[in-house]
Amino acid sequence: MEVLMAFIVGFLFMAATYLMLSKSLLRVIIGTAVLSHGVHLLLLTMGGLKKGAPPILNEEAASYVDPLPQALILTAIVIAFGVTSFLLVMAFRAYQELKVDDMDQMRGNDQHE
Amino acid sequence: MTALHIAILSPLAFAFLIPLLAKYVRRIHTGWFVLILPALLFIYFLRMIGMSANGKTLIAELAWIPSFGINFTAYVDGLGLLFALLITGIGSLVVLYSIYYLSKEREQLGSFYVYLLMFMGAMLGVVLVDNVIVLYVFWELTSISSFLLIGYWYKREKSRYGATKSMLITIFGGLALLGGFILLYIMTGSFSIRSMVSQTDIILSHDLFIPALVLILIGAFTKSAQFPFYIWLPDAMEAPTPVSAYLHSATMVKAGIYLVARFTPIFAFSEVWFWVVSITGLITLFWGSFNAVKQTDLKSILAFSTVSQLGMIMSMLGIGSAALHYNHFEYYLVSIIAAIFHLINHATFKGSLFMAVGIIDHETGTRDIRKLGGLMTIMPITFTITLIGAFSMAGLPPFNGFLSKEMFFTSVLRISEFNLFHVSTWGPLFPILGWTGSVFTFIYSMVLLFKTFTGKYQPEKLEKPAHEAPLGMLISPVILGSLVVIFFFFPNILSYRIIAPAAESIMPHLLAGNETFKVKLEGWHGFSSPELHMTIGVVVLGILAYLTLTKWKKIYRLFPEKLTLNTLYDRTLYGLEKSSNKVTRTYMTGFLRDYLVYVFLFFIMMIGGSLVLTGGFSFDMKGNAEIGAYELVLSAVIIAATLTTIVAKSRLTAIIGLGVIGYTIALFFVIFRAPDLALTQLIIETISVSLFLLCFYHLPKLSFKPRTVKFKVTNVVVSIGVGAVVTLVALAANSQHTLNSISSYFIENSYKLGGGHNIVNVILVDFRGFDTLFEITVLVIAALGIYGMIRLRLEKRGEEQ
C-alpha cells in the first residue's frame, strides 16, 4: 500500500510542479493547492498505513493507527487553507489592479517601470 | 595598559576631542592643539633610543582576546623605534606645516585632523605591535584613514577617484596580508611575530611557506606602491599636500617596507624571497624614475619619484637577505644598512620636497611645470629647500642622498658577485637596472628644480602673483632640509643609535647572544671606488640627457596609452562591473517561472543527487499494508482528477478537478482510519472550492498557451523530475524504519493524562497545544490580511488627497 501511495504522492507533486510552472497565476495557485494535498498524503503514508482502529479510545481495539501524523496533518490542512485563501484573494486583487493574469507580464523589474 | 599602550592609542583617543575643539575654539587654528601630541610622542620615543642602542627591547602586554591568543602586545625594538620616530617626528612637522597650509575659514579642519590623528595612531600601531592580528587591524585602519584623507576635498571628482583606487588596491593587499598571517598561524600556532621568528626552521620546511610568503609580499607591495601596484600613488596626489608629504612619502607607503623588514628574519633564507623582493624593487625603481621624467605636474613627479625610491629601498632589503648565507656577512649586510639609512633620508628629503611643492602651489596657484619658471629670486627660501631636496634625491654631495646612493651602488655591485641562487646568470642586471634608474632619478630631480625656479617668470599664466611663503609654512621644510645636510656631514649620529639597532631587528639570526652590529657610515670611499665612478657617470649622463630632454622626450609617446597599468585597472573595473551585471541579468530574469525552475532543479539535484551518490535508496516491502480494492479505485480517481486539472481549458473544469482531488483525499483519510482529518478535509475543501469559484468569477478565462515547445518540455521534465524524486525519497524512507514511533505514549496516556478518548484531539489541544495556538494565529493573520487587501486602497486614497 505504501508503495502505491508513494507513487500517488509523486504524481501529485509532479502535477503541482507542472501547474506552478505555468504562465497563468490561477494555475500557480491551483498548483500550490495540489502540492499541499500531496504533502498531507505523504505525511500520512510515512506514518505507516498499518491497519488498526481509528485513534479513538474505548473501542476495545488491540491496536490503533498512529495518531501523531494525523494531528500534524490537521494542523497542516488548516495552515494550507489559510495560505491558499490569502493567495486567492491576492490574485483576485492583483487582477483587479493590473488587469492581467499572466505571470510574465507581472515581472517586477526595472524594465517595467 | 602601560605608558607604551597609551602612547600608541593616544592619537586615536585624541581624535575624539578634535571635533569639539574645531567647533568651540574657533579663534585658534585646531592644528595648534593637535601639534602638542605628536611632539610629546616624539620626545617620548626619543628617550627610548638609549635603551634600544644597548640592544634592549621593550615589551608590554595587554590582553584583548586572550582566548584566541590575540593580545595587544606592544613591542619596541630598533626597527619599530625608527619608524615610530619617523611617524611622530615628521607627523609634528606636517601638522605644523598644515596649520599654515590649510585655511581656518575655508576648510573643515575638524575632519582633517581627526583623519590625520587616526592615521598617526594606526601607523604607530602597525610598527609597534607584536601580534599579527592587531597589526592587521592597524594596517587596515591606515588604509581607511588614507582613503578619508585622499578624498578630503570630496567635492572634486578626481579626489574621489583617487581615494577609491587607493582603497581598492590597498585593501586588496590588506586581505592578502591577513591570509598570509593566518597561514603563518597555522604553521606556528602563534600570532606573535617574535614567536614566529623563533620557529623559522619550522616555517621554512612547511608546505604553506610559499603561499604565506606570496600573500604577505602582496600586502607589502600594494601598500608600498611597488610594481605593478604603484598606480594608486600618483592618483593619491589629489590629497592636500600635507597629507601627501606625510602619508605618501614618509610613512604609510613605508608600512610595506616595514613589513618586509619585519618578516625578513622569517622568510629571507628562501631563494624566492631574495628574487621577488629585490627584482620587484629594482623594476619599480627603474619604472618609477623612468615615468617621473615625463610628468608635468610637480606632485606627480614626486609621486613617481616616491615609487622609485621605495623600489630602491625594497630592492636593498631583498639583496640584504644574501647576508644570511655567508659567514663574513658584513660584506652583504651593507644593503640592509643602506636600506635603513635611505629610508630615513628619503623621509627627510621627500617630506621637504612635498612641502616645498605645496608652498609653490599655495603661492602661485598651480603645480604645472609648464606654467612655472623663474621663481628663484621670488621665492629664495623655497628654492634653497627644493635644491637641497632635489640634489639629495639625485644622489649628489653634500647631501644625505649621496651617501645612501653610494651604499646602494655598493650593494648592487656586491650582489653581482654573489654565487648562490643562480645569481651569476642574472647578476649584471642588478647594477644595470640600479644605475639606469639613478640616471632617470637625476633627470627628474633636475626637471623638478630647474623647470620651476629657472627660466622666465610668467606671471600671466599664474593664478596669483608669486611671492615667498609665510614664515610658519617654511619652518617644517627648513628643519627637514637641514637634517638632509646634517645627516651628510654627521651620518654616524644615526648609525650607532638608530641604524644598528634596526639592522639587528631585521637580521637577528646573524647575532649570537649579546652581540651588536658595528655600523659605521663612510662619507668617502676614495677616488678609486667604483661607486664614485658610477655616480660621476650618473651625473654626466644625467646632465646630457637633461639638456637634450626636448629631443628624446618623444620616446614616451611611443608607449601606447592603451597598454598602461592605469588603463588596465580602469578597464578591469569597468569590465567586472559590466560582466557581473550581465551575468546577473542572464539568470535574474524577473519571471517567476524561471526562479521556480531553479528551485526545483536544485531540489532534484540535491535530494536526488545525494540519494544516488550516498546510496541512500533502498526498497523494502516488508511491513507494508496490503492494497485493497477501494484504494485502487480511489487512486484511479485521484489520477484522473489531477490530469483533468492539468489539461483543463476552462477554469470551472480545473476547479472541479481540484475539488475531486480534495474529496478523494478525504476518502483516503476515511479508509486510513482518520475520522477527524476526513471531516476537516471535507469542510475545508468545500470552503476552498467555493472561494475559488467566488474569486474566479471575476477572473478571465483560464488561458494556457505555452510559448514554445521547448518551454513545455522543460516544464514537463522538471515536473517529472520532482515527482520522481519525491517518490524515491518516500520509498526509501518507508523502507528504512529504524526507530519505533513515540505514539504509544499518546495512546496510553490520552485518557490517563489528557482525559480524552479522541487521541488526535488530545494531541492537538493538550500534548501539543502550542501548535494549535499558532495555527489559530496563522488563520487570524490570513483573515486580517484578506480583509486588509480588500478594504485598503492606499494608492487611491493618496490620489484623492
Side-chain angles (χ1 to χ4, degrees):
Chain A
M1 191 66 237
E2 278 87 345
V3 178
L4 176 67
M5 291 311 288
F7 277 97
I8 300 243
V9 166
F11 185 74
L12 284 176
F13 266 82
M14 185 194 80
T17 311
Y18 187 75
L19 285 166
M20 284 163 81
L21 289 177
S22 45
K23 276 206 311 187
S24 153
L25 180 57
L26 299 176
R27 283 178 157 270
V28 175
I29 298 174
I30 294 178
T32 57
V34 174
L35 190 71
S36 62
H37 288 320
V39 171
H40 300 154
L41 220 48
L42 181 66
L43 275 174
L44 194 71
T45 312
M46 290 298 103
L49 296 174
K50 287 195 200 75
K51 301 281 179 175
I56 296 172
L57 293 173
N58 282 355
E59 270 206 358
E60 313 271 314
S63 68
Y64 296 97
V65 293
D66 197 338
L68 191 57
Q70 296 195 9
L72 298 181
I73 294 166
L74 201 61
T75 312
I77 288 175
V78 176
I79 291 175
F81 168 70
V83 173
T84 309
S85 35
F86 185 83
L87 279 180
L88 264 176
V89 176
M90 201 151 77
F92 168 63
R93 288 284 299 122
Y95 183 71
Q96 269 193 337
E97 296 285 329
L98 304 170
K99 303 283 175 228
V100 281
D101 175 46
D102 189 343
M103 291 305 295
D104 291 3
Q105 289 175 33
M106 288 188 178
R107 291 175 55 181
N109 66 15
D110 47 17
Q111 289 173 347
H112 255 278
E113 281 171 22
Chain B
M1 189 72 102
T2 61
L4 186 56
H5 287 114
I6 295 170
I8 294 172
L9 295 175
S10 59
L12 298 175
F14 196 56
F16 283 99
L17 270 178
I18 297 301
L20 294 176
L21 289 171
K23 197 171 174 197
Y24 294 111
V25 194
R26 292 192 145 270
R27 232 156 31 82
I28 306 167
H29 196 288
T30 319
W32 289 113
F33 300 108
V34 180
L35 183 60
I36 303 164
L37 185 73
L40 283 178
L41 287 175
F42 183 68
I43 295 166
Y44 173 74
F45 286 116
L46 265 186
R47 289 175 56 211
M48 288 189 186
I49 285 184
M51 172 209 79
S52 136
N54 292 328
K56 293 201 183 69
T57 56
L58 182 66
I59 301 162
E61 293 262 2
L62 179 67
W64 182 23
I65 318 174
S67 52
F68 286 111
I70 299 172
N71 294 309
F72 187 4
T73 312
Y75 176 64
V76 185
D77 62 350
L79 186 65
L81 187 62
L82 160 67
F83 273 90
L85 285 170
L86 280 181
I87 293 160
T88 50
I90 298 194
S92 322
L93 295 175
V94 161
V95 171
L96 179 65
Y97 177 77
S98 71
I99 293 171
Y100 292 93
Y101 189 86
L102 293 173
S103 149
K104 195 166 62 178
E105 286 80 28
R106 285 193 306 274
E107 305 287 356
Q108 291 182 312
L109 293 176
S111 1
F112 181 80
Y113 287 111
V114 166
Y115 303 156
L116 200 72
L117 281 173
M118 209 167 115
F119 172 77
M120 192 183 287
M123 205 58 211
L124 279 178
V126 166
V127 299
L128 292 178
V129 297
D130 179 54
N131 191 294
V132 286
I133 297 297
V134 184
L135 192 155
Y136 171 73
V137 170
F138 282 118
W139 183 274
E140 291 297 27
L141 198 56
T142 63
S143 298
I144 293 166
S145 47
S146 161
F147 167 79
L148 291 169
L149 283 166
I150 297 169
Y152 176 65
W153 286 313
Y154 55 86
K155 284 179 183 152
R156 297 184 190 169
E157 207 239 325
K158 273 182 140 184
S159 296
R160 298 197 301 270
Y161 172 78
T164 319
K165 193 175 188 177
S166 74
M167 180 82 160
L168 284 175
I169 293 177
T170 52
I171 296 281
F172 160 74
L175 284 176
L177 185 68
L178 180 64
F181 285 162
I182 291 170
L183 291 185
L184 279 176
Y185 175 72
I186 293 170
M187 288 187 263
T188 61
S190 165
F191 284 125
S192 157
I193 298 176
R194 278 175 301 136
S195 142
M196 285 172 188
V197 171
S198 64
Q199 300 182 52
T200 303
D201 41 344
I202 299 176
I203 298 174
L204 274 172
S205 55
H206 203 282
D207 289 340
L208 293 173
F209 174 76
I210 295 293
L213 183 153
V214 170
L215 287 174
I216 286 182
L217 280 184
I218 288 178
F221 287 172
T222 49
K223 200 74 156 185
S224 277
Q226 297 295 298
F227 191 88
F229 304 114
Y230 68 86
I231 51 170
W232 66 267
L233 187 62
D235 284 310
M237 290 302 130
E238 291 304 320
T241 304
V243 173
S244 312
Y246 189 36
L247 273 69
H248 307 125
S249 72
T251 52
M252 187 180 94
V253 285
K254 290 189 174 131
I257 304 274
Y258 167 79
L259 199 74
V260 168
R262 183 54 90 199
F263 283 89
T264 294
I266 296 175
F267 291 109
F269 284 99
S270 134
E271 183 181 358
V272 184
W273 177 269
F274 169 81
W275 279 112
V276 173
V277 176
S278 50
I279 290 298
T280 311
L282 281 172
I283 291 174
T284 315
L285 161 67
F286 172 76
W287 191 243
S289 57
F290 177 71
N291 274 301
V293 177
K294 73 170 175 186
Q295 305 302 320
T296 52
D297 179 272
L298 288 174
K299 274 177 98 176
S300 298
I301 298 180
L302 289 180
F304 278 102
S305 141
T306 304
V307 170
S308 153
Q309 304 278 325
L310 290 171
M312 177 170 154
I313 300 173
M314 197 64 93
S315 68
M316 286 192 282
L317 283 175
I319 291 168
S321 68
L324 290 169
H325 301 274
Y326 282 90
N327 286 331
H328 53 291
F329 55 80
E330 292 86 352
Y331 194 62
Y332 290 105
L333 190 68
V334 70
S335 335
I336 295 286
I337 290 159
I340 302 164
F341 189 39
H342 194 69
L343 183 88
I344 303 167
N345 294 345
H346 177 249
T348 55
F349 69 69
K350 194 53 67 69
S352 69
L353 277 175
F354 264 110
M355 289 176 186
V357 164
I359 289 170
I360 296 165
D361 186 16
H362 204 264
E363 304 307 332
T364 64
T366 184
R367 299 192 310 248
D368 193 330
I369 50 170
R370 288 166 301 191
K371 294 183 186 164
L372 293 166
L375 296 177
M376 199 200 295
T377 47
I378 302 167
M379 304 170 82
I381 306 175
T382 316
F383 169 68
T384 318
I385 297 163
T386 317
L387 180 115
I388 293 172
F391 278 15
S392 178
M393 185 156 75
L396 299 178
F399 307 108
N400 58 8
F402 173 72
L403 300 182
S404 40
K405 178 137 302 180
E406 295 282 282
M407 290 169 79
F408 169 67
F409 285 149
T410 313
S411 50
V412 289
L413 284 176
R414 284 184 186 172
I415 205 65
S416 46
E417 299 166 17
F418 189 57
N419 56 14
L420 268 178
F421 305 155
H422 315 286
V423 172
S424 47
T425 329
W426 295 98
L429 194 69
F430 287 82
I432 290 170
L433 265 179
W435 187 79
T436 34
S438 302
V439 173
F440 282 107
T441 306
F442 184 88
I443 301 170
Y444 72 69
S445 303
M446 295 309 115
V447 170
L448 180 77
L449 181 64
F450 291 115
K451 296 274 183 202
T452 317
F453 290 100
T454 59
K456 220 170 113 268
Y457 177 51
Q458 303 156 302
E460 69 282 356
K461 285 188 183 169
L462 303 178
E463 282 175 28
K464 37 190 168 180
H467 56 80
E468 186 57 272
L471 189 65
M473 218 182 209
L474 291 167
I475 299 173
S476 304
V478 165
I479 293 175
L480 285 173
S482 6
L483 283 178
V484 170
V485 183
I486 292 169
F487 289 160
F488 174 78
F489 287 107
F490 311 102
N492 288 315
I493 57 170
L494 292 174
S495 57
Y496 302 117
R497 294 177 186 84
I498 292 178
I499 296 178
E504 280 156 24
S505 358
I506 299 176
M507 287 284 166
H509 295 299
L510 296 179
L511 294 168
N514 291 325
E515 271 184 322
T516 49
F517 290 132
K518 302 277 177 288
V519 177
K520 185 145 174 61
L521 299 173
E522 297 276 349
W524 187 244
H525 293 78
F527 280 112
S528 55
S529 72
E531 294 89 353
L532 187 68
H533 297 159
M534 281 171 88
T535 303
I536 292 170
V538 166
V539 174
V540 171
L541 199 75
I543 290 173
L544 279 177
Y546 173 71
L547 293 175
T548 54
L549 188 60
T550 42
K551 290 193 182 112
W552 60 270
K553 222 180 170 180
K554 288 180 206 116
I555 62 153
Y556 284 107
R557 270 184 247 145
L558 294 176
F559 195 75
E561 187 69 24
K562 273 185 194 168
L563 290 178
T564 57
L565 286 166
N566 272 323
T567 320
L568 181 74
Y569 164 85
D570 288 338
R571 292 214 174 160
T572 312
L573 271 197
Y574 179 72
L576 271 179
E577 243 171 64
K578 216 177 160 186
S579 52
S580 58
N581 190 2
K582 224 174 178 176
V583 169
T584 311
R585 275 185 184 286
T586 49
Y587 71 90
M588 299 299 282
T589 53
F591 294 117
L592 178 69
R593 174 188 169 262
D594 291 338
Y595 303 147
L596 283 175
V597 167
Y598 305 151
V599 171
F600 288 133
L601 280 179
F602 184 80
F603 171 79
I604 295 169
M605 282 191 292
M606 282 297 133
I607 309 285
S610 54
L611 205 61
V612 171
L613 289 179
T614 60
F617 182 73
S618 63
F619 187 71
D620 182 13
M621 297 273 279
K622 198 174 59 177
N624 282 0
E626 276 170 34
I627 304 176
Y630 293 124
E631 289 95 327
L632 276 179
V633 173
L634 285 180
S635 306
V637 171
I638 210 169
I639 288 171
T642 313
L643 285 175
T644 317
T645 315
I646 294 178
V647 298
K649 289 277 184 291
S650 86
R651 59 177 182 271
L652 200 63
T653 325
I655 297 165
I656 292 172
L658 186 65
V660 172
I661 299 176
Y663 289 126
T664 321
I665 295 220
L667 288 179
F668 266 119
F669 288 154
V670 171
I671 286 180
F672 293 139
R673 309 278 200 280
D676 298 289
L677 287 187
L679 208 63
T680 318
Q681 178 70 28
L682 276 175
I683 295 167
I684 283 200
E685 198 57 37
T686 314
I687 302 175
S688 311
V689 168
S690 24
L691 249 178
F692 267 90
L693 287 173
L694 203 72
C695 285
F696 281 25
Y697 179 72
H698 299 278
L699 297 176
K701 274 220 152 48
L702 200 67
S703 60
F704 182 60
K705 289 182 222 100
R707 278 164 299 189
T708 55
V709 182
K710 200 178 146 200
F711 178 79
K712 206 167 180 177
V713 167
T714 331
N715 289 0
V716 169
V717 169
V718 171
S719 324
I720 291 177
V722 170
V725 168
V726 171
T727 306
L728 288 178
V729 169
L731 288 175
N734 187 49
S735 310
Q736 294 170 340
H737 283 294
T738 46
L739 296 169
N740 288 326
S741 167
I742 56 164
S743 291
S744 53
Y745 173 82
F746 295 124
I747 296 168
E748 278 164 28
N749 293 305
S750 171
Y751 187 71
K752 248 188 276 172
L753 297 177
H757 295 292
N758 187 330
I759 308 171
V760 174
N761 286 4
V762 172
I763 292 176
L764 282 175
V765 297
D766 198 330
F767 289 124
R768 301 177 55 91
F770 271 118
D771 289 357
T772 314
L773 174 65
F774 290 109
E775 164 198 340
I776 293 168
T777 317
V778 169
L779 272 191
V780 170
I781 292 172
L784 287 175
I786 289 168
Y787 179 78
M789 271 197 294
I790 291 174
R791 294 306 296 267
L792 279 179
R793 297 282 190 278
L794 289 177
E795 209 174 308
K796 278 182 190 154
R797 196 188 293 166
E799 279 165 21
E800 277 161 24
Q801 282 168 357

